[in-house]
């Protein structure tokens, strides 16, 4: 279902991990190696239950002592570097199609160095007029600060913008910023929580986005 709105969409802002990048397996592998290196046992099922783009929430759920968070960050980055996630099927074509009709931007919880490197590797960096990563905003998702920063850089109104994400934090961030939100089920490790966040619309895969936006 789509919530009707009088304002037409001019700006389309995306999450990166899980939404455009097929990254959960890479994330999960890095977490598994990280927890093992820290002497902890945490299953993929537990990770899916507590998964969040704000990784500090994952650390808290795993009861990782605050004193070990910096080491955990270092280990996760080390193990993630060995992964090579690809774009979601159809994502490149979707971005190319939307780039002709809308102004695009990226709002990601990922580190600036990692996300920008992946954008270059997948030849999509130039499509985004601005990119907000974890170091750029004073607060992380689901706080609206990252999305508000992107809107300010774009000089975009919330009413003419839409955010696309695969996690409940994406939906909450968008709504708190006054922006419509579309949830993508295909790459989400937490589809039930995504539905419960009440996005304005849901799509099965990123391939379904252009058709939805024609009447959004």
């Amino acid at each position: 279902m789509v919530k009707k709105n009088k304002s037409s969409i001019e700006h389309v802002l995306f999450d990166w991990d899980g939404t455009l990048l097929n990254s959960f397996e890479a994330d999960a592998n890095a977490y598994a190696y990280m927890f093992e290196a820290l002497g902890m046992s945490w299953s993929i099922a537990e990770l899916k239950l507590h998964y969040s783009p704000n990784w500090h929430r994952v650390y808290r759920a795993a009861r990782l002592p605050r004193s070990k968070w910096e080491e955990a960050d270092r280990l996760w980055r080390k193990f993630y570097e060995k992964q090579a996630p690809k774009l979601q099927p159809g994502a490149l074509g979707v971005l190319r199609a939307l780039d002709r009709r809308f102004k695009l931007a990226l709002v990601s919880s990922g580190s600036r160095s990692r996300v920008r490197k992946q954008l270059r590797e997948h030849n999509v960096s130039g499509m985004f007029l601005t990119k907000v990563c974890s170091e750029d905003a004073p607060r992380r998702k689901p706080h609206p600060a990252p999305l508000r920063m992107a809107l300010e850089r774009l000089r975009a109104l919330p009413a003419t913008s839409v955010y696309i994400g695969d996690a409940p934090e994406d939906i909450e961030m968008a709504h708190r910023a006054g922006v419509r939100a579309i949830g993508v089920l295909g790459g989400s490790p937490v589809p039930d929580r995504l539905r419960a966040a009440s996005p304005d619309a849901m799509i099965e895969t990123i391939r379904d986005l252009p058709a939805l936006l024609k009447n959004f």
Side-chain angles (χ1 to χ4, degrees):
M1 293 195 314
V2 176
K3 185 186 292 183
K4 297 299 181 182
N5 236 301
K6 292 182 180 179
S7 301
S8 61
I9 296 299
E10 298 175 9
H11 300 86
V12 181
L13 301 97
F14 288 91
D15 170 51
W16 178 239
D17 293 294
T19 300
L20 293 172
L21 188 71
N22 189 4
S23 59
F24 181 71
E25 183 178 354
D27 289 347
N29 287 339
Y31 271 119
Y33 290 128
M34 179 201 81
F35 282 122
E36 182 180 358
L38 291 170
M40 300 175 64
S41 177
W42 232 51
S43 68
I44 296 297
E46 287 174 302
L47 177 60
K48 283 187 174 182
L49 183 63
H50 298 286
Y51 185 81
S52 170
N54 183 343
W55 60 94
H56 287 168
R57 290 187 170 188
V58 177
Y59 293 174
R60 291 188 186 100
R63 298 183 179 179
L64 182 67
R66 181 66 180 83
S67 60
K68 293 187 177 182
W69 285 11
E70 187 174 341
E71 175 69 1
D73 288 350
R74 185 189 68 79
L75 287 168
W76 188 91
R77 289 193 298 267
K78 172 186 174 182
F79 293 122
Y80 189 90
E81 286 177 359
K82 300 176 182 179
Q83 309 298 316
K86 297 180 179 180
L87 290 177
Q88 293 284 10
L92 182 58
V94 166
L95 288 174
R96 286 173 174 167
L98 296 184
D99 191 36
R100 293 192 289 267
R101 296 168 50 200
F102 304 102
K103 295 177 181 178
L104 308 184
L106 194 80
V107 180
S108 171
S109 293
S111 69
R112 188 188 301 120
S113 60
R114 191 262 296 177
V115 171
R116 286 179 178 265
K117 179 174 180 286
Q118 290 176 327
L119 291 171
R120 292 192 300 270
E121 288 173 347
H122 292 292
N123 298 312
V124 296
S125 182
M127 297 183 190
F128 300 105
L129 297 179
T130 192
K131 310 168 188 74
V132 175
C133 298
S134 62
E135 301 94 333
D136 298 320
R139 301 284 297 275
R140 293 194 181 105
K141 300 176 184 179
H143 195 278
L147 185 50
R148 285 174 176 164
M149 177 177 285
L151 294 175
E152 183 177 346
R153 290 178 178 179
L154 293 168
R155 298 183 180 179
L157 296 174
T160 61
S161 305
V162 63
Y163 187 69
I164 320 299
D166 70 309
E169 289 86 352
D170 295 321
I171 309 306
E172 182 180 345
M173 176 184 69
H175 286 166
R176 289 173 67 181
V179 172
R180 283 170 277 179
I182 297 173
V184 186
L185 285 169
S188 177
V190 288
D192 292 338
R193 286 168 50 204
L194 179 60
R195 291 187 184 95
S198 300
D200 297 272
M202 295 283 293
I203 51 179
E204 287 295 326
T205 74
I206 199 68
R207 284 194 177 107
D208 301 321
L209 184 58
L212 174 63
L213 289 177
K214 288 180 179 178
N215 299 302
F216 195 63

